[in-house]
Amino acid sequence: MHKYILILLAIAFGCSESAREKNRKDMLPTARGEADEIILVADSTQWADSLGLGEELRKTFMAPMLGLPQDESLFNVSKVNPRRLNSVLKSAKNMVFVMTLDSKTADSRVLQRFFTDQSLNQIKRDTSIFMRTQRDVFAKGQTVMFLFSATEDQLEKKISYNRSQIREFFEASARETIKDKLFNSPKKQLTQRIKDTHNVELTIPYGWEKARDLKNFVWLRKMDAETEQSIFIYYEPYTDRGIFNEIGEFRDKITQRNLYDGENPEVHIKRQDIIPVFTERVNFNGHFAVEARGLWKISDNSRGGPFVSYTIVDEEVGLVYYVEGYVDSPGTRKKNLVRELEAILSTFKTKGDITPNQEDAS
């Protein structure tokens, strides 16, 4: 009997905690700021270090996005003194708190107040932990990362070693924010037509239209007075893993065959060789893939811009997919346009993703 009373009390306590947390979040203001804006709260002395922790933080958050024609930093970072952190700054969309126990400045003493005594003792004892992430700390829809260590040297090394993981946390958050805005009114009919014709799925925002539709290729684009964004999907039988070592050549084959001037087929889209194509192996929705970033141009040199692509293998159905988004927007900053393409491309699903495995179905 007592056991059941304890269980009921535990359930009641859990429900009470959940209710309190819900009430707390309901009282919070809504987070403000753009998807890639970060308020970074750090010791001013550490931030000013051009060789140590401050430099590692700048390399992590303020490095240029790869594959753009002009330098644009991955995130728009505003460094804030912890002693000047007010309610307006606390409602930022993204925040990073940086703290080390060996710093005895007034800034660091303020930063340490964001940690419980239990947390501070754990940081002293366990050098393996250096990062914690939370949602909705000071505002609804907010993303917060705490970077910490017993010593500045330890944290500097942890950030350097885990740079990709730290970036991806905020890049994923930015994609979700952008997707929420883009997909308020998705083009469901166009999405369904592509699914019916090509056995793939892509969530398509309002304003996009189909430009070309061939046997194993579809091209979509959105155009306004100054900017054009395009996405294309290509697929063929998967025969050789070596294709991942020749992403540029694979792209050239696709664009020369499918992205050409209807009146002058000799004029087509190709790579620019001003910068190399940057590639990285990634997990794309559970599939092995290679992400590529670079610059494209029309073969007559009349236009050009950045592109981001994913070469994806679906071994269950024996197909390799190439999905790309590219931007044509002369004289403008292009990072946000590329991020929009990344958000759309992230919704891509292969034939195997949308067709249930027969064995699983049974």
Side-chain angles (χ1 to χ4, degrees), residues 311-327:
T311 305
I312 307 157
V313 166
D314 187 336
E315 295 192 69
E316 286 189 10
V317 297
L319 292 173
V320 58
Y321 296 87
Y322 183 90
V323 294
E324 177 179 304
Y326 65 88
V327 173

Side-chain angles (χ1 to χ4, degrees), residues 1-229:
M1 180 66 180
H2 293 298
K3 179 175 70 173
Y4 296 115
I5 292 173
L6 287 172
I7 291 172
L8 289 171
L9 286 172
I11 292 172
F13 179 76
C15 292
S16 176
E17 285 292 295
S18 177
R20 278 201 290 269
E21 178 62 12
K22 182 180 184 304
N23 289 336
R24 183 190 75 82
K25 289 185 178 182
D26 288 343
M27 297 292 289
L28 293 174
T30 300
R32 296 182 293 183
E34 297 300 318
D36 64 345
E37 290 179 349
I38 294 177
I39 295 293
L40 190 145
V41 188
D43 183 294
S44 298
T45 303
Q46 292 177 332
W47 174 254
D49 189 346
S50 61
L51 297 174
L53 181 56
E55 182 62 15
E56 287 302 326
L57 291 167
R58 285 185 284 275
K59 286 180 182 177
T60 301
F61 297 109
M62 301 174 69
M65 177 185 277
L66 295 176
L68 297 183
Q70 303 92 18
D71 280 355
E72 297 183 59
S73 63
L74 283 168
F75 304 99
N76 296 329
V77 177
S78 297
K79 190 274 174 185
V80 172
N81 187 305
R83 290 180 287 170
R84 296 177 181 171
L85 187 62
N86 56 35
S87 58
V88 174
L89 294 171
K90 283 183 178 180
S91 66
K93 181 73 178 173
N94 303 297
M95 299 191 74
V96 177
F97 289 82
V98 184
M99 185 278 297
T100 66
L101 297 178
D102 62 344
S103 177
K104 307 302 180 184
T105 66
D107 286 359
S108 289
R109 288 196 297 270
V110 172
L111 282 162
Q112 290 172 18
R113 294 174 195 160
F114 290 97
F115 297 79
T116 65
D117 290 340
Q118 182 181 0
S119 296
L120 294 172
N121 288 330
Q122 188 177 13
I123 293 168
K124 289 178 185 177
R125 295 193 306 269
D126 188 350
T127 59
S128 66
I129 58 170
F130 72 99
M131 178 174 65
R132 188 177 81 228
T133 59
Q134 286 183 253
R135 308 281 181 179
D136 306 329
V137 178
F138 307 108
K140 286 180 285 190
Q142 182 180 64
T143 298
V144 179
M145 175 179 285
F146 296 88
L147 296 171
F148 50 82
S149 191
T151 69
E152 183 174 334
D153 183 61
Q154 286 176 0
L155 185 55
E156 178 186 339
K157 291 175 180 176
K158 292 287 188 183
I159 291 173
S160 177
Y161 186 77
N162 296 278
R163 200 183 317 280
S164 295
Q165 178 187 354
I166 294 169
R167 284 176 179 166
E168 176 55 25
F169 177 75
F170 286 104
E171 287 175 346
S173 176
R175 281 195 298 273
E176 291 307 309
T177 299
I178 293 167
K179 283 160 71 173
D180 287 343
K181 293 180 180 179
L182 283 178
F183 301 141
N184 276 334
S185 301
K187 300 202 72 169
K188 295 181 180 179
Q189 290 184 339
L190 183 52
T191 292
Q192 188 62 46
R193 284 202 298 271
I194 291 171
K195 182 177 180 180
D196 293 340
T197 305
H198 297 281
N199 285 314
V200 299
E201 195 168 291
L202 187 75
T203 305
I204 303 167
Y206 178 80
W208 285 73
E209 303 293 341
K210 184 169 63 177
R212 183 169 293 164
D213 195 352
L214 305 173
K215 181 180 178 182
N216 59 341
F217 175 87
V218 61
W219 172 29
L220 310 166
R221 63 182 175 183
K222 177 187 177 185
M223 303 177 67
D224 60 30
E226 298 179 353
T227 298
E228 177 181 339
Q229 292 168 289

Side-chain angles (χ1 to χ4, degrees), residues 198 212 214-220 231-237 243-244 246-261 265 267-271 290 292 296-297 307-312 319-326 348:
H198 297 281
R212 183 169 293 164
L214 305 173
K215 181 180 178 182
N216 59 341
F217 175 87
V218 61
W219 172 29
L220 310 166
I231 285 175
F232 63 88
I233 302 165
Y234 171 85
Y235 52 95
E236 66 178 38
I243 196 170
F244 293 105
E246 301 175 345
I247 297 296
E249 291 78 7
F250 187 42
R251 181 189 190 274
D252 288 343
K253 179 187 78 170
I254 297 166
T255 57
Q256 186 167 5
R257 289 180 183 175
N258 300 286
L259 291 173
Y260 54 83
D261 186 329
V267 177
H268 61 274
I269 284 181
K270 60 185 293 186
R271 284 176 294 156
V290 171
W296 65 273
K297 67 176 181 178
F307 72 85
V308 57
S309 73
Y310 298 91
T311 305
I312 307 157
L319 292 173
V320 58
Y321 296 87
Y322 183 90
V323 294
E324 177 179 304
Y326 65 88
F348 177 76

